[in-house]
Amino acid sequence: MEQRHIIVLATFLATFCAYVERVGFSIAFTAMAKDNASIAESVKGTVLSAFYWGYGLSQVCALAGLLMLSSLCTV
């Protein structure tokens, strides 16, 4: 298998895992929080929004890296 095919396959698998994790987390956490009645709606909202903000920021950094603006993501 050529190097470029391996890179494409690895990129596809990484993207696929990210989408599965994003969808699976929201479903799993919602079901888990429903079973546990002591978790308030505000806590569920905070946990889910923290996950999505982190996911969204990672996508911005990925886009910046893609556009060769990696200095945007350095600390």
Side-chain angles (χ1 to χ4, degrees):
M1 188 180 263
E2 291 184 37
Q3 176 104 14
R4 64 185 175 130
H5 293 132
I6 294 171
I7 292 172
V8 169
L9 179 63
T11 304
F12 169 76
L13 290 174
T15 305
F16 178 75
C17 288
Y19 283 119
V20 168
E21 182 178 306
R22 183 180 67 182
V23 172
F25 177 78
S26 63
I27 293 169
F29 182 75
T30 304
M32 181 183 69
K34 185 185 285 186
D35 292 341
N36 190 352
S38 65
I39 297 178
E41 290 293 322
S42 61
V43 173
K44 287 193 281 189
T46 302
V47 169
L48 288 173
S49 66
F51 176 77
Y52 286 117
W53 273 104
Y55 186 83
L57 289 175
S58 70
Q59 297 302 307
V60 169
C61 290
L63 179 61
L66 183 66
L67 298 175
M68 300 301 176
L69 299 174
S70 60
S71 63
L72 176 69
C73 295
T74 58
V75 177

